[in-house]
């Protein structure tokens, strides 16, 4: 049973690595950004609430995001483990996730931070061809700014809890995956009594 988080700035490779780790570890990968984008595409009520935030690179309000994650983690495929990509991003979301896990008598096993500098992020995201509404330089810089101002505090919190492994997110995708798996093996074996 494995409950993991992957954290990192926009474009650090969270989604790319989450898919690969999901296959290797046999746990479901859940990206809050992907879930929001699906709701926007399907024009659901949640999609209508979230669209403006996604387009401008702002964070969707915590109460909306926490509620969505709570519902998603309640589904059967997340019962035996999960890899959350892009959540939590604020300290209020950390507390909400703590409550969700405690309600199920579970806890996180490890948190991986993908490290990459801002200028590399901008180069990567401007080269992405998915047509995302938030992949233009002004919005990318705003997303990065929010990462530094809000999500870095989340990283620091998990470091204090002894759950964090920082992994270099720059290099061939396969190599980054191997680095993450090695970091997880070390952090999970270190926490096993
Ligand atoms: P989200 O979808 O999570 O976007 P993000 O954090 O900005 O990150 P990206 O998805 O752009 O990048 P990534 O780290 O997944 O990298 P990827 O693998 O794609 O969130 C979008 C929005 O949703 C937010 O702005 C907010 O509005 C809302 N939201 C989401 N979560 C929320 C929350 N918890 N609270 C509130 N609001 C929330 O890779 C990027 C590119 O680089 C790709 O082209 C890829 O092919 C390439 N690449 C990947 N790895 C490598 C490598 N090793 N070398 C070279 N290129 C690589
Ligand atoms: Mg992503």
């Amino acid at each position: 049973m494995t409950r993991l988080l992957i954290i990192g700035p926009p474009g650090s490779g969270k989604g790319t690595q989450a898919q690969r780790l999901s296959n290797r570890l046999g746990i479901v990968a859940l990206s809050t950004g992907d879930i929001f984008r699906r709701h926007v595409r399907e024009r659901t009520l949640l999609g209508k609430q979230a669209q403006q935030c996604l387009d401008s690179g702002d964070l969707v309000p915590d109460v909306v995001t926490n509620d969505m994650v709570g519902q998603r983690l309640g589904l059967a495929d997340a019962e035996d483990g999960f890899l959350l990509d892009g959540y939590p991003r604020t300290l209020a979301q950390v507390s909400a996730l703590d409550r969700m896990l405690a309600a199920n008598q579970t806890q996180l096993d490890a948190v991986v931070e993908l490290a990459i500098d801002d200028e590399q992020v901008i180069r990567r995201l401007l080269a992405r061809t998915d047509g995302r509404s938030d992949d233009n330089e002004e919005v990318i810089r705003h997303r990065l700014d929010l990462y530094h101002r809000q999500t870095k505090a989340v990283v620091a919190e998990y470091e204090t809890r002894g759950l964090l492994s920082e992994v270099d997110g720059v290099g061939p995708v396969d190599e980054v995956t191997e680095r993450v798996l090695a970091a997880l093996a070390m952090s999970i074996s270190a926490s096993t009594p």
Side-chain angles (χ1 to χ4, degrees):
M1 219 178 295
T2 316
R3 295 185 177 82
L4 306 174
L5 306 182
I6 189 158
I7 303 186
S12 55
K14 299 183 297 295
T16 303
Q17 295 302 328
Q19 282 311 322
R20 300 164 74 90
L21 295 166
S22 164
N23 293 337
R24 294 279 285 266
L25 301 173
I27 50 176
V28 65
L30 300 174
S31 155
T32 42
D34 285 349
I35 299 173
F36 283 133
R37 279 185 290 277
R38 200 185 65 237
H39 278 275
V40 170
R41 270 197 311 278
E42 294 174 358
R43 298 171 192 272
T44 66
L45 182 61
L46 176 60
K48 285 180 188 144
Q49 287 175 303
Q51 178 156 23
Q52 207 186 344
C53 295
L54 267 80
D55 290 349
S56 59
D58 286 319
L59 295 181
V60 176
D62 285 333
V63 58
V64 175
T65 306
N66 290 334
D67 192 42
M68 180 189 82
V69 172
Q71 289 182 33
R72 184 61 190 84
L73 289 183
L75 299 185
D77 62 351
E79 219 168 80
D80 289 335
F82 54 76
L83 170 56
L84 274 171
D85 153 8
Y87 180 91
R89 290 191 200 218
T90 64
L91 289 173
Q93 292 181 11
V94 171
S95 303
L97 179 61
D98 286 344
R99 287 193 295 276
M100 291 173 215
L101 295 172
N104 292 323
Q105 284 91 44
T106 58
Q107 55 189 18
L108 290 175
D109 297 303
V111 178
V112 172
E113 179 195 15
L114 290 177
I116 180 169
D117 71 48
D118 289 5
E119 294 310 313
Q120 300 212 48
V121 159
I122 290 167
R123 278 200 297 279
R124 270 189 193 180
L125 292 184
L126 289 178
R128 181 156 64 180
T129 52
D130 297 6
R132 266 176 56 168
S133 62
D134 55 352
D135 277 349
N136 60 76
E137 184 162 351
E138 188 189 344
V139 173
I140 295 167
R141 288 197 186 275
H142 181 55
R143 287 154 66 197
L144 277 166
D145 184 48
L146 286 180
Y147 183 78
H148 293 298
R149 285 197 285 122
Q150 303 220 38
T151 310
K152 270 302 203 180
V154 171
V155 173
E157 171 62 22
Y158 288 123
E159 185 167 31
T160 304
R161 295 185 189 187
L163 288 172
L164 188 77
S165 301
E166 185 187 305
V167 171
D168 181 0
V170 179
V173 169
D174 284 344
E175 259 177 46
V176 177
T177 307
E178 293 311 318
R179 285 178 208 150
V180 173
L181 287 168
L184 285 174
M186 283 176 62
S187 84
I188 289 173
S189 71
S191 65
T192 306

